[in-house]
Amino acid sequence: MAGQQKMTRNELEAKLVAHAWQDEAFKQELVSNPEAAIERELGQKMPEGANVQVLEETGDTFYLIIPKKPGVEELSEEQLEAVAGGGGDDLLPDYGEVSLFSITVGWD
């Protein structure tokens, strides 16, 4: 699709949130019919079978999204037996270094 700007997921989320904060009607549509709102915002169709859920945080609730693990495939019976027996470390994906961080959330 020539001429279309590519953006990361974070950039898309930031664009949608900014628009929702500025336009109450857009926010309501984004919550009730996210696929249509996003298609109109981007000027293109969502991929077939795409499912988008939109939740609005409140002053006392926040949501943590656990993304799909990258590159993890289903294990065979043989691999499952190796892991269950305490072995199979070589079957686990290598995620490299993991950084831990903490945040402080202040509730209004």
Side-chain angles (χ1 to χ4, degrees), residues 1-8 11-12 15 42 44:
M1 301 191 163
Q4 290 187 350
Q5 176 186 358
K6 291 187 178 201
M7 65 177 74
T8 67
E11 291 169 335
L12 174 60
K15 176 183 174 101
L42 297 179
Q44 64 183 28

Side-chain angles (χ1 to χ4, degrees), residues 3-58:
Q4 290 187 350
Q5 176 186 358
K6 291 187 178 201
M7 65 177 74
T8 67
R9 178 178 174 166
N10 287 342
E11 291 169 335
L12 174 60
E13 288 175 3
K15 176 183 174 101
L16 295 171
V17 168
H19 190 170
W21 284 346
Q22 294 173 354
D23 183 341
E24 183 66 26
F26 175 75
K27 181 179 89 171
Q28 292 303 320
E29 183 180 18
L30 188 60
V31 171
S32 65
N33 191 354
E35 289 85 1
I38 293 169
E39 285 178 351
R40 195 174 64 255
E41 183 75 9
L42 297 179
Q44 64 183 28
K45 288 284 194 189
M46 297 277 295
E48 187 68 33
N51 180 20
V52 179
Q53 295 182 7
V54 176
L55 303 171
E56 183 178 6
E57 291 184 359
T58 63

Side-chain angles (χ1 to χ4, degrees), residues 75 78-95:
L75 299 178
E78 199 172 86
Q79 292 169 322
L80 285 172
E81 286 177 25
V83 172
D89 289 341
D90 58 324
L91 301 174
L92 300 176
D94 180 10
Y95 292 113

